Amino acid sequence: MADIADGPAATARSSTFIAQIPTGAKIFLILSAALLPLAIIAFFASLKTTQTADESARAQLRVASAESARKLAIELVGDMTALRVALNALDADRGDAPSCARAQGVFAQQAVSGTRFVVMDRHARVLCGTAFPAELAPATLTSDEPITARIVERRGVVLAITGASGATSAAAFFPAPFLAEIGKPSDFAPPYEARLVRNNDALILTELPTRGALERRETLRMALGIGGLSLQTTIRSAPITSPLIIAMLLPILMWAAAAGIGWFVVDRLLIRPLRQLRASVAAYVPGEEIDPAQVRALPAQEIRELGDTFRLISRTVAAHEAGLAEGLVRQTKLTREVHHRVKNNLQVISSLINFHARGARSAEATAAYASIQRRVDALAVVHRHHFAELEENRGLSLRSVIGELASNIRATAPEGSSQLSIVVDIDPFLVTQDVAIAVAFLITEIVELAMTFNPLAQIRISVKPGETEDRAILRVNSPALVDGDSLRRVVEERYGRVMEGLSRQLRSRLHHDPLVGAYEISIAVTGRD
């Protein structure tokens, strides 16, 4: 089940990612993917042509290298065989002059090119041939190899053998020009480079010119079977010329150019006009109409039609906006008229209550009228401030509402309560109309409760920040609210149900501190003034 759920989710994420790619980039990627196989085929076709030429060059190199190695091996083995015959004879009889003469006859034809030989006893006394200088000294003879070889850099190769008894030895020096001439392949026209290689030593027989920047070479090594010598032959491969580079890069360049041209055309005829139209739409202000000249300047007919459609829509929206503005003006006038009627009605009700209060025949009736008037005044205060804030729609200022409410309460206090003291400490919080009405009625009820027990007791009303930014703490405290039997009875009989209903309206719990004489509740605020 998890895999089934992951499948649609992965598909949705992929679709979202593709949708976020700009259209120009999508066009470029699609064209690139469509044309790339053709570019790859053309590239590999050019590469195959180059590889065929390289294979032909390798075949020629293989034939020429085998021929050169065979010629050198035959010459060196033949000379060293003749030298070994003479060495064996002189090893048996050091005065065998005919054997020495035969060896000299074999090397006489090569002496012109610098070839020489020597046969010595174990004390390095020359028995036949010519003594070698120190730089042409042969390599140390070992019993593992019948012939040992030493490459003398830039000069030639020294081959050495030892007699059957080990008392005599022979060496032959073959100069580089002689070996180059012997190893020259027949019917091989291309220039080549030949080297005799042994371990890390090398003797250049024929050298190619300095390698060029784009030159390629093929190298083949063949063992001669003599003293660990190998012939390394190098020729030039098919050169990397400008036509070859163009032939290999042209498919890639054509692929990139085709994708780029496709993107450029789509960007100029489609993407950029759409962006211009989008900018015009983004800059559209209700009530205005898009300039027809901007629409006619768009290059694509379909986009021009889209622009004309939006221009007609903007014209319709402008007409609707004008109608809405006119309706809003009428609604504002009607709202103000309703406000004035409500305010006048509240004032009439307050005046009627005040008139009847003055004609009351008992103190209890007068107090009841005053209590009702205070509640009507609380509602009038909230209504007045609500309409004042309606234009800005920021909310009602608790500081203004509670300040005016406290003044009205002091003004309507019963006779004998002229010394009523209400201290207000309100932070500049803003609240909604519903919260303001509930707060005003709750404060009125609590102050009314306090005046019932002690009209002269000081009352303090404060609103301070709560635990979070969207809450504030409303606190009303007075010595008259300290817990007692009479307070509990009056609250239970008269005020408790109203205050509980108001606290439910404020969606919070009303707390009473019996020792201090304070009521406290958390209220919702919309911000600060």
Side-chain angles (χ1 to χ4, degrees):
M1 294 297 293
D3 295 339
I4 295 176
D6 290 343
T11 303
R13 288 194 296 270
S14 177
S15 301
T16 303
F17 173 75
I18 294 175
Q20 292 176 349
I21 300 177
T23 305
K26 290 180 184 176
I27 296 296
F28 181 79
L29 292 176
I30 292 173
L31 291 176
S32 299
L35 298 176
L36 184 60
L38 299 178
I40 293 176
I41 291 173
F43 175 79
F44 279 104
S46 302
L47 188 62
K48 186 63 178 179
T49 302
T50 304
Q51 291 176 347
T52 302
D54 291 343
E55 289 294 336
S56 176
R58 291 192 193 98
Q60 293 180 359
L61 174 62
R62 194 176 297 109
V63 173
S65 181
E67 181 184 357
S68 297
R70 184 173 63 255
K71 286 183 177 181
L72 287 173
I74 291 173
E75 178 65 26
L76 295 179
V77 169
D79 291 346
M80 294 307 294
T81 301
L83 186 60
R84 181 175 290 281
V85 171
L87 175 63
N88 291 336
L90 293 173
D91 190 26
D93 181 8
R94 299 185 180 181
D96 190 350
S99 297
C100 180
R102 285 193 293 273
Q104 289 177 344
V106 171
F107 283 91
Q109 298 176 356
Q110 308 166 4
V112 179
S113 61
T115 303
R116 62 177 70 178
F117 77 98
V118 64
V119 179
M120 300 177 295
D121 59 11
R122 68 178 57 188
H123 300 294
R125 290 193 294 268
V126 177
L127 302 180
C128 184
T130 306
F132 286 4
E135 62 271 13
L136 299 181
T140 304
L141 297 174
T142 62
S143 57
D144 297 336
E145 297 178 322
I147 301 176
T148 59
R150 173 175 174 255
I151 292 180
V152 181
E153 187 177 2
R154 299 182 181 275
R155 298 191 63 180
V157 176
V158 178
L159 300 180
I161 56 177
T162 184
S165 63
T168 56
S169 61
F173 171 70
F174 299 93
F178 170 75
L179 295 175
E181 185 65 26
I182 293 297
K184 185 176 182 180
S186 59
D187 299 329
F188 189 70
Y192 69 95
E193 179 177 285
R195 296 187 180 197
L196 282 178
V197 179
R198 185 178 187 276
N199 297 331
N200 295 326
D201 299 327
L203 175 65
I204 298 177
L205 304 182
T206 305
E207 188 174 8
L208 281 173
T210 305
R211 184 190 295 265
L214 299 177
E215 181 179 326
R216 298 185 302 122
R217 296 184 176 186
E218 293 287 342
T219 300
L220 183 65
R221 178 181 292 189
M222 288 193 173
L224 300 181
I226 303 174
L229 293 174
S230 298
L231 176 65
Q232 177 177 299
T233 308
T234 303
I235 63 170
R236 291 189 180 96
S237 297
I240 302 178
T241 59
S242 298
L244 178 60
I245 295 176
I246 294 175
M248 295 183 68
L249 294 182
L250 186 59
I252 305 299
L253 295 176
M254 292 177 62
W255 162 70
I261 291 173
W263 170 82
F264 178 78
V265 171
V266 172
D267 181 73
R268 287 289 182 177
L269 297 181
L270 180 63
I271 306 301
R272 185 168 296 185
L274 283 176
R275 288 176 178 170
Q276 293 176 356
L277 183 59
R278 177 181 175 275
S280 299
V281 173
Y284 171 72
V285 177
E288 294 182 355
E289 184 179 343
I290 293 181
D291 186 6
Q294 294 182 354
V295 177
R296 287 194 295 268
L298 299 175
Q301 176 64 29
E302 293 78 5
I303 300 178
R304 287 198 297 271
E305 293 176 355
L306 179 62
D308 290 334
T309 302
F310 186 79
R311 185 169 59 85
L312 294 176
I313 293 174
S314 66
R315 182 183 301 171
T316 303
V317 171
H320 290 174
E321 287 286 338
L324 290 175
E326 184 179 354
L328 180 60
V329 171
R330 290 197 301 268
Q331 184 65 33
T332 302
K333 292 180 179 179
L334 180 60
T335 302
R336 289 175 179 172
E337 179 65 23
V338 170
H339 162 70
H340 286 301
R341 290 179 181 271
V342 171
K343 183 176 68 172
N344 293 337
N345 291 337
L346 290 175
Q347 289 177 351
V348 169
I349 293 172
S350 180
S351 298
L352 290 174
I353 293 172
N354 189 26
F355 174 76
H356 286 287
R358 286 197 298 269
R361 298 180 180 181
S362 64
E364 290 79 3
T366 302
Y369 280 122
S371 178
I372 295 173
Q373 186 175 10
R374 281 191 287 272
R375 287 159 178 78
V376 174
D377 288 342
L379 181 60
V381 167
V382 174
H383 177 75
R384 184 164 53 256
H385 282 275
H386 169 67
F387 185 80
E389 297 291 340
L390 193 60
E391 301 294 336
E392 298 181 4
N393 198 23
R394 296 182 305 117
L396 278 70
S397 173
L398 274 182
R399 175 178 288 176
S400 300
V401 171
I402 297 177
E404 186 174 349
L405 180 63
S407 299
N408 289 345
I409 292 174
R410 282 194 294 264
T412 59
E415 295 182 4
S417 301
S418 58
Q419 300 300 321
L420 176 64
S421 173
I422 300 178
V423 179
V424 177
D425 183 12
I426 311 297
D427 282 9
F429 286 109
L430 300 175
V431 295
T432 63
Q433 182 188 15
D434 293 338
V435 173
I437 292 175
V439 167
F441 281 136
L442 183 60
I443 292 175
T444 302
E445 293 294 327
I446 297 175
V447 172
E448 187 83 20
L449 176 62
M451 289 191 302
T452 301
F453 289 95
N454 187 357
L456 300 180
Q458 185 185 60
I459 301 174
R460 179 181 178 84
I461 304 173
S462 64
V463 178
K464 296 298 178 182
E467 297 180 355
T468 58
E469 293 183 357
D470 61 341
R471 307 296 294 183
I473 303 299
L474 170 63
R475 182 182 178 89
V476 181
N477 64 294
S478 173
L481 299 176
V482 175
D483 192 22
D485 295 337
S486 57
L487 178 68
R488 285 195 299 269
R489 185 176 63 255
V490 172
V491 169
E492 182 177 354
E493 294 176 354
R494 181 177 176 184
Y495 295 96
R497 184 175 300 177
V498 177
M499 291 192 296
E500 183 178 356
L502 292 172
S503 64
R504 282 199 300 268
Q505 186 176 346
L506 291 171
R507 292 180 175 83
S508 187
R509 185 177 179 182
L510 181 63
H511 299 278
H512 178 227
D513 189 341
L515 300 179
V516 178
Y519 281 93
E520 184 176 277
I521 189 171
S522 175
I523 61 175
V525 296
T526 60
R528 297 179 71 90
D529 195 359

